[in-house]
Amino acid sequence: MEGKSFIPYSYEYQDVETVASKASSFREVMDQRRTIRAFSDEPIPGKIIEDIIMTASTAPSGAHKQPWTFCAISDHDLKKEIRIAAEKEEYINYHGRMPEEWLEDLKPFDTDWNKGFITTAPWIIILFKKSYQLTERGKSKNYYVNESVGIAAGMLITAIHMAGLATLTHTPSPMNFLGKILNRPENEKAFLLLPVGRPVEDVKVPNISRKKPDEVIIWK
Ligand code: IYR
């Protein structure tokens, strides 16, 4: 049995004015983040991707199982193989598998089955969730896997934005082709695909607005 082991946590107490100013400026920075669909092919060093991923991997998780694997891909042939497989599924999605209401809801975003960003962006990160762990002694449980991996994905997107890069959360559906192409073990299921890089110079984003505080917060 593993014993309990606690160490001091170095919490830096900051006065409430400092906390208020940090909260407000971080809000502003994060409000600048947008999903980008047109990427430049400018190469980005792998160390940056490692730092971004390891930031995401600091996410809290059920029983600290860290039930995720990040697959970082810059190899062009592999990206191409993934793009072809993703477009195959997306073509079917946009031509009948997605109901009319869904297609209508997507109109403002001008998306379609073409996923050129998979080969253009210098990196794609595929986030896999580990439904359970595979150990030498067999299977062991993970807990709150979707919640844990969802939190890690949010932190990944935040890290990408704070580093000065852009991304897009792509959810090709069904996604099982990713595990096959990337040869992942049976306990890993693809969760999200994120191209990472710089936007093209003249990038445009949909003219949409975020909900206001009174639409998302209930104070009691
Ligand atoms: N997965 C498809 C469709 C799609 C669905 C939603 I909900 C979006 O917000 C955007 C796209 C695609 O990636 O095109």
Side-chain angles (χ1 to χ4, degrees):
M1 275 285 278
E2 217 179 270
K4 295 176 197 167
S5 173
F6 280 74
I7 53 171
Y9 172 55
S10 53
Y11 173 74
E12 189 198 339
Y13 186 96
Q14 298 163 88
D15 59 54
V16 77
E17 289 78 19
T18 308
V19 174
S21 135
K22 281 183 153 181
S24 161
S25 54
F26 191 58
R27 172 182 175 178
E28 250 172 63
V29 174
M30 288 310 294
D31 199 28
Q32 299 300 314
R33 186 204 58 79
R34 294 299 306 263
T35 287
I36 296 300
R37 292 182 191 279
F39 287 82
S40 137
D41 61 1
E42 183 187 320
I44 299 294
K47 174 64 168 72
I48 295 174
I49 301 302
E50 179 180 317
D51 282 337
I52 285 166
I53 290 175
M54 293 316 290
T55 298
S57 194
T58 67
S61 59
H64 192 53
K65 296 284 185 169
Q66 305 165 86
W68 45 67
T69 300
F70 299 83
C71 210
I73 304 163
S74 62
D75 181 86
H76 191 265
D77 292 343
L78 193 49
K79 287 194 295 182
K80 197 167 169 193
E81 191 181 348
I82 290 170
R83 175 182 170 183
I84 289 167
E87 287 181 338
K88 198 172 151 204
E89 293 298 351
E90 291 298 337
Y91 186 89
I92 303 170
N93 288 337
Y94 281 90
H95 292 86
R97 199 152 53 187
M98 291 197 289
E100 214 33 63
E101 183 184 356
W102 192 347
L103 292 172
E104 198 57 39
D105 280 341
L106 286 180
K107 276 199 178 140
F109 309 99
D110 204 22
T111 61
D112 60 25
W113 61 272
N114 197 306
K115 301 299 171 193
F117 54 76
I118 297 178
T119 43
T120 312
W123 290 92
I124 56 172
I125 298 176
I126 314 224
L127 176 47
F128 287 89
K129 66 175 183 186
K130 290 175 145 179
S131 318
Y132 53 91
Q133 304 274 124
L134 282 175
T135 68
E136 305 92 72
R137 281 171 285 116
K139 292 180 185 180
S140 78
K141 271 191 174 303
N142 285 336
Y143 308 94
Y144 300 103
V145 171
N146 285 326
E147 291 84 346
S148 303
V149 180
I151 294 165
M155 291 177 63
L156 183 73
I157 293 163
T158 306
I160 291 167
H161 178 64
M162 295 308 287
L165 297 175
T167 189
L168 150 67
T169 44
H170 177 41
T171 49
S173 176
M175 253 195 270
N176 47 351
F177 68 88
L178 289 167
K180 282 189 198 128
I181 292 176
L182 297 166
N183 217 3
R184 298 312 304 159
E186 56 162 43
N187 63 327
E188 293 188 9
K189 300 265 171 293
F191 187 79
L192 273 184
L193 183 162
L194 303 103
V196 183
R198 295 186 193 271
V200 290
E201 250 171 50
D202 57 346
V203 74
K204 299 267 190 304
V205 293
N207 186 10
I208 50 176
S209 57
R210 302 197 199 279
K211 287 185 175 175
K212 302 287 170 268
D214 67 351
E215 293 172 284
V216 295
I217 311 175
I218 296 157
W219 302 98
K220 296 273 190 195

